[in-house]
Amino acid sequence: MDLVYLSFILILSIFLGFELIQKVPATLHTPLMSGANAISGITLVGALIGAGGQGSTLTVVLGTMAVAFATINVVGGYLVTDRMLAMFKKKTTEK
Amino acid sequence: MDLVYLSFILILSIFLGFELIQKVPATLHTPLMSGANAISGITLVGALIGAGGQGSTLTVVLGTMAVAFATINVVGGYLVTDRMLAMFKKKTTEK
Amino acid sequence: MSTTMLINLSYTVAAVLFIFGLKYLGSPATARRGNAISALGMLLAVVVTLLDQAIIDYRWILLGVLIGTAVGAFAARLVAMTAMPEMVALFNGFGGIASLMVGWVALAQPRLSSFILLTIFLSILIGGVTFTGSLVAWGKLSEKLPGRPILFHGQRLVNGALLLANFACGAMFVLHPEQHLWLYLAVALSSILGVMTVIPIGGADMPVIISLLNSYSGLAACAAGFAINNNILIVAGSLVGASGIILTNIMCKAMNRTLGNVLFSGFGAVDEAGGKIEGEVTALSAEDAYYVLEAAQSVVVIPGYGMAVAQAQHVVKELQQILEKNGCEVIYAIHPVAGRMPGHMNVLLAEADVPYDLLLEMDDINPRMEAFDVAIVIGANDVVNPAARETPGSPIYGMPIINADYARTVFVLKRSMASGFAGLDNPLFYRKNARMIFGDAKETLGRLVREFSN
Amino acid sequence: MSTTMLINLSYTVAAVLFIFGLKYLGSPATARRGNAISALGMLLAVVVTLLDQAIIDYRWILLGVLIGTAVGAFAARLVAMTAMPEMVALFNGFGGIASLMVGWVALAQPRLSSFILLTIFLSILIGGVTFTGSLVAWGKLSEKLPGRPILFHGQRLVNGALLLANFACGAMFVLHPEQHLWLYLAVALSSILGVMTVIPIGGADMPVIISLLNSYSGLAACAAGFAINNNILIVAGSLVGASGIILTNIMCKAMNRTLGNVLFSGFGAVDEAGGKIEGEVTALSAEDAYYVLEAAQSVVVIPGYGMAVAQAQHVVKELQQILEKNGCEVIYAIHPVAGRMPGHMNVLLAEADVPYDLLLEMDDINPRMEAFDVAIVIGANDVVNPAARETPGSPIYGMPIINADYARTVFVLKRSMASGFAGLDNPLFYRKNARMIFGDAKETLGRLVREFSN
Ligand SMILES: NC(=O)c1ccc[n+]([C@@H]2O[C@H](COP(=O)([O-])OP(=O)(O)OC[C@H]3O[C@@H](n4cnc5c(N)ncnc54)[C@H](OP(=O)(O)O)[C@@H]3O)[C@@H](O)[C@H]2O)c1
Ligand SMILES: NC(=O)c1ccc[n+]([C@@H]2O[C@H](COP(=O)([O-])OP(=O)(O)OC[C@H]3O[C@@H](n4cnc5c(N)ncnc54)[C@H](OP(=O)(O)O)[C@@H]3O)[C@@H](O)[C@H]2O)c1
């Protein structure tokens, strides 16, 4: 049954992803790319269990490396996106 | 765990529903209303198990009634929507 | 692959079909296919469910399906396009009672956790309210019940108490599922609640209620889905729930009211509609109107509820064709809540074979309104009321309207000076460029058409 | 409530935060908040995961997180806005290898069904391809590797064989999980596959590849989610997968090429670009251009890749302000694939504090182009090439462009008559109303600004 639920979740998320992303205007495509990239670092959640579990040395080493790599992706991705978006400004006081 | 999966599915579907429906133009709101209404007859799927199961007489009677009611909703809903939509025509040969 | 697996994977496919169905419903060119795809999803879901090992006897199912199909197909074939709202209400109610019964049947399951009991109660509650509420809405719309709001002293108090009683009953039901009293009480209380919430609402507000009840029936299916642990009920139910809420919201916004106001206020027709209107009303005969139309280069038709009442859509289309032959450009301007259902005008005009690309939405037409020689307002009133734009005190102030008054000449086809749905005077009728052509819209239009053929 | 329950319900909340984050990313006014909401979702997901009872030792986690945070924060702080594509590529690769490792670690789980083994293999395959592919893309973009397509005889054959080998290895891996050989082989083969698929692609096509690889990294996370039975990985991974595919598609459409063409053709710079172009090229000095601009009432600026190369965005903004002070209306026309990333120009101009409501999209500006006195094309070439509109034989025929040639006068700021990304001659330069102002865009603009201040 798990498989059934997971495939439901998969399919719904894919459709939802398409609907959401299609609405993003061209202006924001670069930040979208880097923001989505940051989200793909979610694999960090999976890595945590490997790095902190009571597995073999290999498991822990792999897990720790995975944590490090995924964290770079997450932290770097969100920060760089934020830096980009901070620059987007609307015309306000100027006129 | 079932509950967890089901709430994931619930939440994703609700969001997906909002995204999908928001795109439907005003022109189609009446057919949308009756088409969505037909979909709500999905409860028929639940009713089948009651009507065909080895439950008490009460269960079977309730189930059968539920099947009948839900089928009206489904069949009537889809047919009436189709009838409406069949009328929507684009300007083609006229010009 | 086990049967359960097969069933559930087919449910996934059915969910995808529903999603694509709704996607295709988003454009008139594909909407019909969308509906068929959604129906296919339903068929798939139903057929694979029959493979379920819990189903051992198909006779009762067959009986139910046969009755349901016969009634549903018959009703769908016979209903007049103008009776669409009450038909939807009735179907919707049937969906609600089916969910109630599915919840009830789910009580026979072996292991019942509190959570499952809660969802069973919810499907009974929401299903019951949907059922009786929809029946009342149907009665009001088809004039089997009085359309006016039924109000009495202390009504809110009674309804509040009723809601509380429902919740209390729910709590007892979850705690003592073995005592059938609570089950019966839940069914009774939810049915009463449905009636009580809808009777204080005026007939004209019914579309909002139907849309809301439509959303409820989706939620009832969702709750039943949790109760019997069925994904497809949850997915399809949520899609319907979302759809109903969005449509309700659109209608409320277009009427410039809140949902709370619709539900609880019995729509007080506002008499203090700020200030007397200046100007004079000029009436015109159909014959004189003919000369104006004959010379017009461009005409915009603005239909409203009166067109539906008069069943004038076919003759509107005739007039359009005659004008076009005469070298005049004709388009239609459709307000999102003209009529009594969202998209009401579109369905009627589609019935009369008016191509949908001639139908423009409010935002597309308003900037071009000055360019039209004649605006023909056919049984519309509130949706062209300039008070919404100009009179801050008016109850509809702020509601977006079609600016018919900006056209060079405005013909208003209605039977009298009576007000429309919102019960408000319309300053448009008093404008210098406005001409009232009194009479039933169908007749007036018929006369115009005859003038052209002479 | 058990810990697993708590964790999973928090995952639901995290999913909602991701969804809202992406929703808010849809408008410049809310995009930054959207990113923060999405980050919050990530934080929540990570923090609650730490409560998992399977985690008994936090030291290694801490180490990994510290290293990752330091490197990530450092890199994000230091990267130049123009180096954004390669930075995204690198981060993306890291996400890929992390998914590969998560898949690998998942092998240590007690019960491994064939399905789980399959998903483990998929996370290794997709993760590995993402990792090495992204590294190559990064190398090409940062010019650490040669940017030109690396092609050799029988390349497709080799790649086809490699793909087959991967699948065969996957089959063996699922059938014999106890033999570590297949695991190692899977890691090796997927890494090689990533390299081999990206090297034949030219440096300029890298943005498409990066977007595609971004989609892959989402799918890798998804596969890992199936492997360790984790919802949030599946939800977030699919969202990313969808995003990458949509962006890839947008880029391909705007370049008028298919994804297959991008992946497999090493972009043959088309020499047979139908017919010689008629007309003469008129050069202009910055000084003479000044007089024209001085008199202009309305100017549209069309930036392209050359503006990014010249880092001219700040001086563009200066010129804009001077022109505005001079009583001239200035707006920007942004082509969706101007530059080398979708939305590249928007980011650069945002960096120079140009308000985003001055930036118009192609479809909004084209109908108004005739009304502009001067169009200043700054280092753009393909996106204003009228051959796309007029020359059916041209490889970019049919690609939507900004109709700069319809403005009264067109200034083209570039260094030479060299072609742009697509390697095509541009008839615009030979038009009667076009004036070439040769030189580095930043310098030319600087000179114009100085002329004004004198
Ligand atoms: N569409 C929706 O979803 C929806 C939902 C709920 C509420 N509403 C509300 O409904 C209203 C719709 O506005 P509307 O302008 O379409 O309609 P309206 O304001 O209700 O006005 C309709 C007009 O049609 C005239 N009429 C009735 N029968 C006629 C006939 N046989 N021949 C000619 N004229 C006839 C009536 O005047 P006479 O009696 O003088 O002929 C009346 O003034 C709005 O207030 C809206 O908020 C709409
Ligand atoms: N944005 C994306 O997502 C994306 C992705 C993939 C591919 N592409 C492709 O990239 C192209 C983008 O078109 P585009 O018009 O922006 O650029 P382009 O066609 O590549 O042309 C850029 C022009 O800028 C000039 N230039 C370079 N450095 C300069 C400097 N320092 N000062 C002044 N001019 C300079 C170059 O001419 P000189 O050498 O004579 O100066 C060149 O002709 C399209 O073909 C598109 O399909 C875009």
Side-chain angles (χ1 to χ4, degrees):
Chain A
M1 268 314 267
D2 278 0
L3 170 59
V4 165
Y5 288 126
L6 293 177
S7 28
F8 251 92
I9 291 175
L10 175 71
I11 284 176
L12 291 172
S13 316
I14 290 178
F15 275 101
L16 186 56
F18 273 101
E19 296 298 326
L20 287 173
I21 308 285
Q22 246 153 12
K23 285 196 187 152
V24 178
T27 321
L28 289 168
H29 278 164
T30 297
L32 169 64
M33 201 156 148
S34 88
N37 181 33
I39 297 183
S40 77
I42 187 71
T43 199
L44 170 56
V45 164
L48 291 175
I49 297 172
Q54 55 198 130
S56 62
T57 316
L58 178 68
T59 308
V60 173
V61 169
L62 280 173
T64 308
M65 282 168 63
V67 168
F69 278 123
T71 308
I72 297 180
N73 190 354
V74 169
V75 174
Y78 279 118
L79 285 183
V80 101
T81 310
D82 185 67
R83 220 183 109 194
M84 254 187 269
L85 289 172
M87 300 181 316
F88 279 76
K89 281 188 201 83
K90 203 180 158 97
K91 189 156 194 154
T92 42
T93 44
E94 289 205 63
K95 257 223 166 128
Chain B
M1 268 315 268
D2 279 0
L3 170 58
V4 165
Y5 288 125
L6 294 177
S7 27
F8 251 93
I9 291 175
L10 175 71
I11 284 176
L12 291 171
S13 316
I14 290 177
F15 275 101
L16 185 56
F18 273 101
E19 297 296 327
L20 287 173
I21 308 286
Q22 247 153 12
K23 285 196 186 153
V24 178
T27 319
L28 290 167
H29 277 165
T30 297
L32 169 65
M33 200 154 147
S34 88
N37 181 33
I39 296 184
S40 77
I42 187 70
T43 198
L44 171 56
V45 164
L48 291 176
I49 298 173
Q54 55 199 130
S56 62
T57 317
L58 177 69
T59 308
V60 172
V61 169
L62 278 175
T64 307
M65 282 168 63
V67 168
F69 278 122
T71 308
I72 297 180
N73 190 352
V74 168
V75 173
Y78 279 118
L79 285 182
V80 101
T81 310
D82 185 68
R83 220 183 109 194
M84 253 188 269
L85 289 173
M87 300 181 318
F88 278 76
K89 280 189 201 81
K90 205 180 156 95
K91 187 156 196 157
T92 42
T93 44
E94 288 205 61
K95 257 223 166 129
Chain C
M1 193 158 53
S2 75
T3 326
T4 335
M5 205 57 165
L6 176 70
I7 292 177
N8 275 293
L9 289 184
S10 307
Y11 283 170
T12 323
V13 178
V16 171
L17 290 172
F18 287 137
I19 292 168
F20 271 111
L22 285 176
K23 265 181 99 77
Y24 280 132
L25 254 184
S27 138
T30 57
R32 195 175 182 193
R33 195 164 1 126
N35 189 53
I37 291 175
S38 153
L40 190 68
M42 183 66 77
L43 187 68
L44 176 66
V46 169
V47 168
V48 298
T49 306
L50 293 176
L51 301 178
D52 194 313
Q53 270 129 2
I55 298 184
I56 45 166
D57 184 347
Y58 290 88
R59 285 172 306 168
W60 298 108
I61 292 181
L62 194 67
L63 179 70
V65 167
L66 281 182
I67 296 177
T69 307
V71 176
F74 203 68
R77 175 73 40 104
L78 291 189
V79 63
M81 276 300 140
T82 34
M84 209 50 82
E86 51 255 46
M87 175 102 293
V88 173
L90 202 58
F91 286 165
N92 195 45
F94 290 165
I97 185 134
S99 290
L100 181 152
M101 290 169 170
V102 171
W104 189 333
V105 168
L107 260 184
Q109 286 178 111
R111 275 154 310 157
L112 293 171
S113 68
S114 308
F115 179 76
I116 300 233
L117 284 168
L118 181 64
T119 57
I120 290 179
F121 172 71
L122 283 178
S123 33
I124 292 175
L125 172 63
I126 310 178
V129 169
T130 307
F131 178 55
T132 55
S134 298
L135 284 189
V136 174
W138 167 75
K140 289 202 173 203
L141 279 175
S142 59
E143 287 162 20
K144 296 195 169 43
L145 288 177
R148 67 185 160 69
I150 298 175
L151 300 167
F152 56 84
H153 210 69
Q155 191 161 30
R156 287 198 204 180
L157 218 73
V158 172
N159 283 0
L162 200 55
L163 198 65
L164 274 185
N166 255 300
F167 286 146
C169 168
M172 294 309 292
F173 176 82
V174 173
L175 293 175
H176 301 288
E178 69 292 347
Q179 290 178 22
H180 285 204
L181 170 66
W182 304 117
L183 168 69
Y184 301 139
L185 206 58
V187 172
L189 282 175
S190 63
S191 306
I192 299 174
L193 186 62
V195 174
M196 294 300 283
T197 32
V198 180
I199 53 162
I201 300 167
D205 273 339
M206 279 308 123
V208 187
I209 298 309
I210 291 176
S211 182
L212 193 66
L213 290 171
N214 193 359
S215 174
Y216 284 179
S217 76
L219 297 181
C222 241
F226 273 96
I228 63 171
N229 203 343
N230 185 311
N231 299 323
I232 191 72
L233 256 66
I234 295 180
V235 173
S238 326
L239 293 176
V240 177
S243 142
I245 287 178
I246 290 179
L247 288 180
T248 308
N249 199 24
I250 287 174
M251 281 188 265
C252 287
K253 267 204 191 133
M255 295 192 298
N256 214 23
R257 289 163 67 196
T258 62
L259 183 57
N261 180 282
V262 172
L263 290 180
F264 299 123
S265 77
F267 205 36
V270 194
D271 332 60
E272 350 87 75
K276 251 200 59 176
I277 299 173
E278 311 258 307
E280 253 172 57
V281 174
T282 324
L284 198 74
S285 71
E287 289 66 35
D288 293 338
Y290 158 69
Y291 292 108
V292 179
L293 285 180
E294 233 259 287
Q297 292 297 313
S298 56
V299 164
V300 52
V301 175
I302 307 167
Y305 180 59
M307 183 182 83
V309 176
Q311 282 289 302
Q313 62 271 29
H314 296 280
V315 54
V316 168
K317 156 92 183 191
E318 258 184 83
L319 181 66
Q320 172 212 323
Q321 285 176 318
I322 290 178
L323 284 171
E324 279 174 345
K325 239 182 252 152
N326 200 27
C328 172
E329 186 207 350
V330 182
I331 62 153
Y332 295 79
I334 310 292
H335 191 281
V337 294
R340 288 293 176 268
M341 279 189 301
H344 198 170
M345 296 298 118
N346 304 79
V347 174
L348 290 177
L349 291 171
E351 191 196 351
D353 267 338
V354 176
Y356 61 77
D357 36 2
L358 289 186
L359 275 48
L360 266 66
E361 291 189 27
M362 183 164 58
D363 295 337
D364 298 325
I365 191 75
N366 272 341
R368 297 170 46 191
M369 195 51 92
E370 280 89 352
F372 284 96
D373 290 333
V374 184
I376 312 184
V377 176
I378 304 180
N381 191 339
D382 298 341
V383 299
V384 292
N385 190 337
R389 210 177 51 225
E390 297 167 350
T391 317
S394 167
I396 58 166
Y397 182 69
M399 155 174 163
I401 59 155
I402 295 183
N403 295 327
D405 51 328
Y406 287 178
R408 298 215 182 92
T409 308
V410 186
F411 288 169
V412 182
L413 277 62
K414 64 199 295 282
R415 296 164 308 184
S416 65
M417 288 299 290
S419 60
F421 172 77
L424 296 172
D425 248 347
N426 192 336
L428 168 68
F429 306 159
Y430 302 85
R431 290 284 150 101
K432 282 234 171 65
N433 60 340
R435 302 283 174 275
M436 306 298 294
I437 311 183
F438 290 113
D440 176 80
K442 192 171 177 177
E443 276 173 30
T444 309
L445 289 166
R447 244 181 294 151
L448 280 172
V449 167
R450 274 195 303 281
E451 287 291 328
F452 268 98
S453 42
N454 291 343
Chain D
M1 192 159 54
S2 74
T3 326
T4 334
M5 207 55 165
L6 175 70
I7 292 178
N8 275 293
L9 288 183
S10 308
Y11 283 170
T12 322
V13 178
V16 171
L17 290 172
F18 286 138
I19 292 168
F20 271 110
L22 285 175
K23 264 180 101 75
Y24 280 131
L25 254 184
S27 139
T30 57
R32 197 174 180 194
R33 194 164 1 128
N35 189 52
I37 292 175
S38 155
L40 189 68
M42 183 65 78
L43 187 67
L44 176 65
V46 169
V47 168
V48 298
T49 306
L50 293 176
L51 301 178
D52 193 314
Q53 269 129 1
I55 298 184
I56 46 165
D57 185 348
Y58 291 87
R59 285 172 305 166
W60 299 108
I61 293 181
L62 195 67
L63 179 69
V65 168
L66 282 182
I67 296 177
T69 307
V71 176
F74 204 66
R77 174 74 40 105
L78 290 189
V79 63
M81 276 299 141
T82 34
M84 209 50 84
E86 50 256 45
M87 176 102 292
V88 173
L90 202 60
F91 285 165
N92 194 46
F94 291 164
I97 184 126
S99 290
L100 182 153
M101 290 169 170
V102 171
W104 189 332
V105 168
L107 260 183
Q109 287 178 110
R111 274 154 310 157
L112 292 172
S113 68
S114 308
F115 178 74
I116 299 233
L117 283 169
L118 181 64
T119 57
I120 290 180
F121 171 72
L122 283 177
S123 33
I124 292 175
L125 173 64
I126 310 177
V129 169
T130 307
F131 178 54
T132 56
S134 298
L135 284 189
V136 174
W138 168 75
K140 289 202 174 206
L141 278 175
S142 59
E143 287 163 20
K144 295 194 170 43
L145 288 176
R148 64 185 162 70
I150 297 175
L151 300 167
F152 57 84
H153 210 68
Q155 191 161 30
R156 288 198 202 181
L157 219 74
V158 172
N159 282 0
L162 200 55
L163 198 65
L164 275 185
N166 255 302
F167 286 148
C169 169
M172 295 309 292
F173 176 83
V174 173
L175 293 175
H176 301 288
E178 69 292 348
Q179 290 177 22
H180 285 206
L181 170 66
W182 303 117
L183 168 69
Y184 301 139
L185 206 58
V187 174
L189 282 174
S190 63
S191 305
I192 300 175
L193 186 62
V195 174
M196 294 299 284
T197 32
V198 180
I199 53 162
I201 300 166
D205 274 338
M206 278 308 123
V208 186
I209 299 308
I210 292 177
S211 182
L212 193 66
L213 290 172
N214 193 0
S215 173
Y216 284 0
S217 75
L219 296 182
C222 241
F226 272 96
I228 62 171
N229 203 344
N230 184 311
N231 300 323
I232 191 71
L233 256 66
I234 295 180
V235 174
S238 328
L239 293 176
V240 177
S243 142
I245 286 179
I246 289 179
L247 288 180
T248 307
N249 200 24
I250 288 174
M251 281 189 266
C252 288
K253 267 204 192 134
M255 295 194 297
N256 215 22
R257 291 163 65 195
T258 63
L259 183 56
N261 181 281
V262 172
L263 289 181
F264 299 124
S265 78
F267 206 35
V270 195
D271 332 60
E272 349 87 75
K276 251 202 60 184
I277 298 172
E278 310 258 309
E280 252 172 58
V281 173
T282 324
L284 198 72
S285 70
E287 289 67 34
D288 291 339
Y290 160 70
Y291 293 107
V292 180
L293 285 180
E294 233 259 288
Q297 292 296 314
S298 56
V299 165
V300 53
V301 175
I302 307 167
Y305 180 58
M307 184 181 82
V309 176
Q311 283 290 303
Q313 60 272 30
H314 296 280
V315 54
V316 168
K317 156 91 185 195
E318 258 184 82
L319 181 67
Q320 171 212 323
Q321 285 176 317
I322 289 178
L323 285 171
E324 280 175 343
K325 239 181 253 154
N326 200 27
C328 171
E329 185 205 351
V330 183
I331 63 153
Y332 295 80
I334 310 291
H335 191 280
V337 293
R340 290 291 178 270
M341 280 189 301
H344 198 171
M345 295 299 118
N346 304 78
V347 174
L348 290 178
L349 291 171
E351 191 196 350
D353 268 340
V354 177
Y356 61 77
D357 37 2
L358 290 186
L359 275 47
L360 267 68
E361 290 189 28
M362 184 163 59
D363 296 337
D364 298 324
I365 191 75
N366 272 340
R368 297 171 46 190
M369 195 52 89
E370 280 90 350
F372 284 95
D373 291 333
V374 184
I376 312 184
V377 176
I378 303 180
N381 191 340
D382 299 341
V383 300
V384 292
N385 190 338
R389 209 177 53 223
E390 297 168 351
T391 318
S394 167
I396 59 167
Y397 182 69
M399 156 174 161
I401 58 155
I402 294 183
N403 296 327
D405 51 327
Y406 287 178
R408 298 214 184 93
T409 308
V410 186
F411 289 168
V412 182
L413 277 61
K414 65 198 294 282
R415 295 165 308 181
S416 65
M417 289 299 290
S419 60
F421 171 77
L424 296 172
D425 247 347
N426 192 336
L428 168 69
F429 306 159
Y430 301 85
R431 291 284 151 98
K432 281 233 171 65
N433 60 341
R435 302 283 175 275
M436 306 296 295
I437 311 183
F438 290 114
D440 176 80
K442 192 170 176 180
E443 275 173 30
T444 309
L445 290 166
R447 242 179 295 150
L448 280 172
V449 168
R450 273 196 301 281
E451 287 292 326
F452 269 97
S453 41
N454 289 344

